[in-house]
Amino acid sequence: GSILDGGGKHRVMQCMSGETASTVFENLLIRNGFDSGSGGGMFLFRTSPSLIGCTIQDNAAATGGGMKIFNGSPRLEDCIFTGNHAEFEGGGIEIVITAEPTFIGCAFTDNSSAVNGGAISCKLFCAPIYDDCLFQGNSADSGGAMFNMDQSTPTLTDCRFAANSARNGGAMANLADGNAELNDCAFMQNTASGFGGAMFNTFSHPTMNDCVFDRNDAPQGGGMYNISGSPELIDCRFIGNSATGFGGGFYNDIDGTPSLTNCIFQNNWSANGAGMYGEQSSPSL
């Protein structure tokens, strides 16, 4: 494949002319791009190209270090986002304004953001689809791997979150109607320094089916922390999660109304509420 290198001075690529799926980028290495605004590696503005087997590496921007997707439906297959950084949102990718990208078999590793979404920040009515994707070693202040907000509804199937870290939501943070749907996903060894080793939810209604929370850790809510939200979990497992403070597996805080059906809590640990801790909340089990 070809190498496209921004030399740390400029954005590497952009699509702004209504490109469709018939525009195909294949086996490209997009690296060392920089933009003081958005999309250090690549900026997709109201376009929907296809990317196959591309690597987006070591790019930087204020938002969307590796890529920014604005109001389009691109398809990315077998792509790698690694070592990208954003000062504010979306170290790997920033997704905004009704965008509906599809990611198949993609990997997001070692991306970072100083604020939200180490790998991905998704805001403002977006509906991305992730199938068989890996999120590993990403970091941010909120949502180490993924940050969802503003009536965005990502759908994730067979995805794995491993060793991501943040202050809140080591792997994922869902805020203000960030209503993610997760099916057959696994959260393993993610950590938070504040709330929600794997997941942090507030004012949101994420749904989880057949998901596993395994050996995640945080001071509050080793596996998950929920406040003023109503996540729905069916056939999920919390195994070996830990919290030094409250809620080894699950911490349910003020006005939280989660629903858990056929869920298993096993070998979780905390000083208070090894499996689950609740305060001023109304969980349904």
Side-chain angles (χ1 to χ4, degrees), residues 201-238:
N201 303 308
T202 180
F203 295 103
S204 296
H205 179 70
T207 58
M208 286 150 267
N209 297 280
D210 292 306
C211 293
V212 177
F213 295 81
D214 179 10
R215 290 168 294 161
N216 304 285
D217 178 77
Q220 318 293 342
M224 184 183 300
Y225 182 94
N226 175 55
I227 180 170
S228 300
S230 54
E232 182 178 351
L233 293 82
I234 300 173
D235 296 324
C236 293
R237 288 171 287 159
F238 289 78

Side-chain angles (χ1 to χ4, degrees), residues 127-140:
I129 294 172
Y130 307 90
D131 190 355
D132 188 28
C133 292
L134 170 67
F135 298 84
Q136 183 168 320
N138 304 286
S139 62

Side-chain angles (χ1 to χ4, degrees), residues 59-106:
N59 302 282
T63 68
M67 178 181 292
K68 179 166 184 172
I69 301 172
F70 182 106
N71 184 227
S73 303
R75 178 183 174 89
L76 292 86
E77 186 170 348
D78 297 327
C79 292
I80 297 171
F81 288 77
T82 185
N84 302 288
H85 178 73
E87 285 301 311
F88 298 104
E89 307 265 0
I93 307 177
E94 182 190 25
I95 303 170
V96 295
I97 314 292
T98 67
E100 298 183 351
T102 298
F103 302 90
I104 307 294
C106 294

